[in-house]
Every structure is written in C-alpha cells, then in structure tokens.
Amino acid sequence: DAADSARDAPKTVMANDDIFVSPAQTDDCDNQLQALCSCFDFNPLMEHIYLVGTEDGHILQCSRTYNDGFTNIRANAHFMNIYALKWNPFHSKIFLSCSEDWTVKLWEEKNDTEQPAQSQRENASKSDAQQFANNIITYDLGNSVNDIAWSPFSSTIFAAVTSDGKVFVFDLAQNKNAPLCREQI
C-alpha cells in the first residue's frame, strides 16, 4: 500500500548551499533533496568511514557502523556531478574531489562529527570552518575532471585527468597554486 511504499522510498534531506546538515535535522525536511551516488571511497586509515559523491555535487560522509544513512553532508561541494573522491593515504582527514564542473578540490575533514546533534545544529549557521569538511584549495582545470589519484609514495603529490586527455600532476610541497606539469595523452 501507499504507506509501505513511502516508508521504503530513499531517505532524503534538505541541504542549503554550503551548509552542514546533520541527519538529526532532517526529520521535518524529507523529500527536499534526492541525489544519486556517482562515486565513493573508503578512508584507508579509518576503515569504517567512507565518502559518497553524488550527481548533484554533494559529498556525504558515511560510517559502516551507522546504518540509517549518512552521518554528515557537505551540500553543494561542487556545482555538477562528482566523478571521484579520494582519501589521502597518509592523512586520515584529507581528501580530494573532482567534478564535471572542471574543478579539483582539496578538503580537510573537521572533528565536528563528534559533537552532539544540538551543537551541530548551532554550527549549521556558522562559517565553513565549522562544517564537517573545509575546502582548502580549488583548482580549475578548464575541462571536466574525470579522475584523481594520490601518489602511493608521497602525501603531497596527486594527479588529475581531464576529458580532453590532459594529465595534471600537483605537488603541494613544491607549489600549492599550480600543477608541476601538464601533459596531453
């Protein structure tokens, strides 16, 4: 019947532009935001935590120990579909995201996820520094960014590939503002 199909429908939440939303806040906000998963990545240093990127540009933080959906959301992390999320293999709170919106973003996870739900609701209206993930650097590569990868040997080196066949290699220890090299493949 209708009640059963409504109960089995995907859980949804309301999320405003760049605002942290905790699941505790979503009880009265169902059916405001529905997004399909486009990518995910498990944290290599904290295996119960993983990130999910959506076609609508949101990043969901999830936990294998929490079965009722995501634990936090970074709404409108990108303007278009997120193609890849990658945790840094050396730092458990640093990750990258890339998107169809031509950008690669470097993020730092905050410790707000350990606060009680009331504190999270109070922080929802505060600055980006109070959210579960803070965007540190954004790189505009001039074309849709299809994938990203961290170096397995260095915590500061990563590469990105764009849909026009270019590979960009970055080393944050050498230059935080531009790639070390770009090659057409």
Side-chain angles (χ1 to χ4, degrees):
D1 76 349
D4 288 336
S5 63
R7 187 173 45 249
D8 294 335
K11 294 290 182 190
T12 57
V13 297
M14 182 178 84
N16 294 325
D17 190 345
D18 281 332
I19 292 189
F20 168 86
V21 178
S22 107
Q25 294 172 266
T26 63
D27 294 339
D28 58 348
C29 302
D30 282 352
N31 298 320
Q32 296 294 321
L33 170 77
Q34 293 185 5
L36 299 175
C37 171
S38 58
C39 60
F40 67 92
D41 192 38
F42 282 90
N43 188 320
L45 302 174
M46 296 187 305
E47 295 175 350
H48 66 285
I49 300 291
Y50 62 100
L51 298 172
V52 175
T54 71
E55 289 184 346
D56 294 333
H58 310 301
I59 297 175
L60 308 173
Q61 181 189 46
C62 305
S63 173
R64 293 189 331 184
T65 59
Y66 181 72
N67 293 330
D68 289 337
F70 62 88
T71 56
N72 293 309
I73 183 172
R74 178 63 189 208
N76 301 318
H78 286 273
F79 297 111
M80 299 176 88
N81 186 10
I82 297 175
Y83 285 141
L85 293 164
K86 301 289 181 181
W87 287 99
N88 186 304
F90 301 97
H91 298 288
S92 65
K93 299 199 178 292
I94 301 292
F95 63 93
L96 290 169
S97 63
C98 71
S99 172
E100 189 176 353
D101 68 5
W102 301 8
T103 62
V104 172
K105 294 186 178 188
L106 178 68
W107 301 88
E108 179 183 17
E109 179 186 27
K110 297 297 183 183
N111 290 328
D112 288 350
T113 58
E114 299 169 4
Q115 293 179 354
Q118 179 63 31
S119 295
Q120 290 177 345
R121 278 192 290 279
E122 291 168 3
N123 286 340
S125 63
K126 293 186 180 178
S127 70
D128 285 352
Q130 298 298 319
Q131 299 180 24
F132 105 86
N134 191 23
N135 179 229
I136 299 171
I137 300 173
T138 299
Y139 300 100
D140 186 340
L141 301 186
N143 216 311
S144 179
V145 185
N146 292 356
D147 204 4
I148 47 178
W150 286 100
S151 165
F153 306 110
S154 174
S155 64
T156 61
I157 297 174
F158 66 91
V161 62
T162 59
S163 61
D164 63 347
K166 291 181 183 165
V167 175
F168 296 81
V169 178
F170 294 84
D171 185 348
L172 300 172
Q174 297 294 318
N175 186 346
K176 293 179 181 73
N177 299 314
L180 287 181
C181 67
R182 56 177 70 94
E183 290 291 324
Q184 182 73 38
I185 54 172

